Each structure stands twice: as structure tokens, then as C-alpha cells.
Amino acid sequence: MDTIIMKTDEAGAIEKASEILNAGGLVAFPTETVYGLGGNALDASASSRIYAAKGRPSDNPLIVHIADTKDVYKLAEEVPEMAETLMEAFWPGPLTIIFKKKALVPDTTTGGLPTVAIRMPSHPGAYELIRESGIYIAAPSANLSGKPSPTTAQHVIEDMSGRIDMILDGGAVGLGLESTIVDVTGDHPVILRPGFITKKMLEELIGPVEIDPALIKPDKNLRPKAPGMKYTHYAPSGDLAIVESASGTANDAVVNKINVLAREALESGKSVAILTTKEHRDSYGVSLSNDNRSDGQEGCLKSAQVILLGSRSEGATVASRLYAALRECDEKGIEVIYCESFRDNELSGAIMNRLLRAAGHKVITV
Ligand code: TXA
Ligand code: MG
């Protein structure tokens, strides 16, 4: 299939996209978190097409995007007061809330669950698309299943070209990590996926909030409550490891360890990338001259690629660049990746959740 690509603010783009959605087709669009792959949430066959386009297991439910708080009452069987408080405070914005679903939401959209995930995005392009189409848009992140989520239209084009009807290009997204997911269907609210809306921000409004225990310590016997959290995710093709000090930060010992490991990998003939921060960028000087290369090649110097994620003190910048950095490693055919740990900033919950899963929980402590 030919995929139409238009800028979000191009004349006729939103109209074309909503025509496609109303005809049961699929449109990728920008949100403030990551690009979404949208289809009509109330049309089971559109949801099936989403799973197929992503190569996603059909037991992993989709988030339903709305543009008006009132729509929650049409989709959810029950709207607890606590949820109303959160909707009031954080919508539109990067918070997804899990409700008991009404029968009109197809089981295909919710992966067979009796609950439905709902979010109101704040991105103007997403908002306009939902308004113009007049439907509820089911949208997972617009990446192939298992790959890092797309933060630019180019990422979507790489994964979805030829697989979906249209891509709306709204440039780079603002936040870069998926929404926080909170489940309000039980006795206590539970975070199923950490994001920009932190536990602390939720607790200030609704009291104690639990974090799904399966997220805190990976344990094969614990099943995450958000089905999507059980799959390996966000993984680059190369072998990624996180390096940290005992206190969870990146210090001189971490830098030294990464330099040693990167050199070893280069010497064994592997291509290497180091994901780092402004604070440490200049401390990585790993390169091999021709005389100590073991692969016998001549004529070029081999060195580790140093990829900058931002300053350690600016979690938001690191979050916004993480997925693009992982994709850059794939583009460059990097085989071994070392990344500094990020347990020391305000967004460490969200950043480390994604990073640990991308690394298959491989952490080297120095
Ligand atoms: O920021 C976001 O949330 C982005 C943008 C596009 O809105 N969307 C997104 O969707 O990240 P996706 O499909 O990549 O992740 C949705 C997560 C999955 O882990 C899924 O298992 C979980 O939400 N989820 C969806 N419905 C659920 C439900 N009823 N109960 C528990 N978890 C649910
Ligand atoms: Mg996703």
C-alpha cells in the first residue's frame, strides 16, 4: 500500500486523515509523548489492522484517545471520583487512566480485557484529528512491536511506510516517552507504567499510589498489569548494557569502566556506541589506532560513537532524546552499546523503566 505523508498543518491534511479513519483505515499522528498509530477505537477490524501493522500480539490492549472529558462517561462503565480529580488536573496531557469498559468498546481494542485505557492528548495536531474525525482513536505507539517508540515522523516512516494509509508529520514530539498509566479500577490506584506525571504528582492529589510490583523488580513470576510491559521493548539491535555506580549515578568510576569495556569491544572487532551526558561527554576517548586492531584492517581509525543525551540535571532532555539515540545506534549498525545510568533525576522512574527494558535488565555496577 502507498502511504500518504502530509505535514499536520498542511491544507487538507487533517481532513484527509479523518476521512481515512472514518473509512476504517490507519493514520499515524503526533502526540506530545510519542507518535501514535491511530484507528477507529470502536471498529474491531480497525483495531485488528493496528495489531497487524505493528506486528503486535493481540492480547496487548490499545489506548483510546479522546478530545473531550465527557467522552469518558460514554466509554467507561464507572468513573471513580479519584479519576475525575486526575482528569481535571492532568488532561489534556500525558496521563492514561484505566477504567472498567462499557460493552460498546470492542474486546479487540482492549486485548480481551474488561477494562479500557483512555487518554486525552494535549498535542494540537492530535486534538484536531480527534475533533475533525468525530471518533475515538485507538492508538499504540507507531513503531514496529519491540522497537523504540517513534519521536519523529521519520521514525514512523522507517517502521510503517507501506503498512498504513497515512502519516501526519508534526515534527519532533515534545516529551519523547509514553504517557504515565494509572489504574483506578481497584481499591487503590496503581501506576502500571511510569511517565512524566510522577507518583509524587499523583499522590499530591489522590493520596497513596502504588507502583505495579512487577515494574520494580523484574521477576518471571510477576505478571505486569499492563500487558505491554511484559514484552521486551524499546530494544535496539545492538547489545545494550547500563553502567552505574552503587549509588545509581554516573561518576568517574562509571566513565572509566565504560572506557575499558568500549575498548575491549572495539578490540574484538565490534562497533561501539556510548550514550552519555554533557557532564561526561569529553571523558570518553576510546579509539584504536591501526597497530592494535585485531581484525587486520588497515587505513582507518576505529572509535566508539559518542551519543549525547543531554545534561544529567535535565531529565526532560534525556527523556526526549533516548529513543532517537537508540534508533541512531541501529542506523549506524552499532553492535555494542554502553549507557550511563539515570537514577538521579526527577524523571528517573520513567527513564530507567524504558532503559532497563531496552537493555533486557543488563546492568553493570562498579
Ligand atoms: O503516550 C502514550 O501513551 C502513547 C501515545 C501514542 O498516546 N501510546 C502508547 O501506546 O504508548 P502503547 O500501545 O504503545 O502502550 C500502551 C500500554 C501497553 O503497555 C498496554 O499493555 C497498556 O498500555 N494498556 C492498554 N490498555 C490497558 C488496559 N485496559 N489495562 C492495562 N494496561 C493497558
Ligand atoms: Mg508502545
Side-chain angles (χ1 to χ4, degrees):
M1 122 184 2
D2 281 342
T3 302
I4 303 166
I5 301 169
M6 287 177 88
K7 297 257 188 247
T8 313
D9 54 6
E10 207 172 316
I14 297 287
E15 290 75 9
K16 180 73 196 164
S18 59
E19 217 174 86
I20 290 171
L21 288 172
N22 275 287
L26 304 186
V27 176
F29 62 97
T31 82
E32 71 278 21
T33 56
V34 299
Y35 273 76
L37 170 53
N40 183 349
L42 301 189
D43 175 353
S45 59
S47 295
S48 301
R49 261 178 237 130
I50 292 177
Y51 292 112
K54 271 182 74 79
R56 175 173 181 149
S58 58
D59 66 347
N60 187 1
L62 310 174
I63 294 174
V64 178
H65 295 67
I66 60 171
D68 186 338
T69 308
K70 287 205 273 314
D71 290 336
V72 167
Y73 301 86
K74 297 178 188 155
L75 300 165
E77 191 61 54
E78 256 171 55
V79 182
E81 207 181 311
M82 175 195 301
E84 288 178 324
T85 307
L86 297 179
M87 284 150 55
E88 170 80 16
F90 299 117
W91 281 4
L95 180 71
T96 296
I97 306 177
I98 309 284
F99 299 93
K100 292 188 176 129
K101 83 173 184 78
K102 280 203 166 147
L104 97 157
V105 183
D107 288 340
T108 324
T109 300
T110 64
L113 292 178
T115 52
V116 58
I118 305 180
R119 139 165 151 82
M120 191 195 291
S122 63
H123 191 289
Y127 177 82
E128 269 183 59
L129 182 62
I130 304 167
R131 292 304 283 238
E132 175 70 26
S133 63
I135 60 176
Y136 311 122
I137 302 183
S141 49
N143 51 290
L144 286 173
S145 191
K147 284 278 161 200
S149 297
T151 55
T152 66
Q154 189 53 41
H155 296 161
V156 183
I157 292 168
E158 284 159 18
D159 281 15
M160 290 297 156
S161 220
R163 302 175 75 90
I164 61 175
D165 300 283
M166 184 172 184
I167 297 168
L168 280 172
D169 177 354
V173 301
L175 302 181
L177 294 183
E178 305 86 343
S179 60
T180 303
I181 302 179
V182 62
D183 183 350
V184 296
T185 61
D187 296 338
H188 311 287
V190 185
I191 292 175
L192 308 191
R193 180 172 71 184
F196 282 82
I197 311 288
T198 60
K199 181 172 187 282
K200 188 161 164 269
M201 289 159 79
L202 296 172
E203 287 184 332
E204 271 164 18
L205 293 172
I206 58 171
V209 176
E210 213 188 292
I211 296 186
D212 182 354
L215 301 185
I216 299 170
K217 211 171 185 313
D219 177 341
K220 289 198 181 72
N221 301 315
L222 279 182
R223 191 176 232 265
K225 294 193 178 74
M229 302 303 275
K230 73 181 178 229
Y231 299 105
T232 306
H233 216 328
Y234 322 113
S237 306
D239 192 7
L240 168 65
I242 301 164
V243 184
E244 68 180 19
S245 66
S247 63
T249 59
N251 54 16
D252 288 348
V254 167
V255 171
N256 291 342
K257 183 72 179 174
I258 292 180
N259 274 327
V260 168
L261 292 170
R263 170 166 286 274
E264 279 169 12
L266 284 173
E267 279 171 356
S268 68
K270 298 266 172 54
S271 51
V272 180
I274 298 169
L275 306 191
T276 180
T277 47
K278 256 190 202 156
E279 289 77 358
H280 298 304
R281 172 175 48 182
D282 298 331
S283 312
Y284 297 105
V286 188
S287 60
L288 293 187
S289 60
N290 292 331
D291 37 310
N292 58 7
R293 282 185 61 164
S294 64
D295 56 9
Q297 286 184 37
E298 281 178 27
C300 66
L301 198 77
K302 236 183 145 186
S303 57
Q305 302 271 338
V306 176
I307 300 176
L308 182 66
L309 293 172
S311 167
R312 298 202 73 77
S313 58
E314 291 165 17
T317 311
V318 174
S320 71
R321 292 193 189 161
L322 180 61
Y323 289 147
L326 295 176
R327 281 182 178 259
E328 186 181 336
C329 290
D330 280 357
E331 272 157 36
K332 293 183 166 155
I334 301 291
E335 294 162 292
V336 177
I337 309 161
Y338 295 108
C339 182
E340 293 171 12
S341 185
F342 290 94
R343 294 199 202 261
D344 53 352
N345 68 49
E346 75 286 3
L347 286 174
S348 58
I351 295 170
M352 289 309 290
N353 169 270
R354 308 313 194 272
L355 205 48
L356 282 164
R357 294 172 66 213
H361 294 274
K362 188 167 172 199
V363 180
I364 297 164
T365 308
V366 292

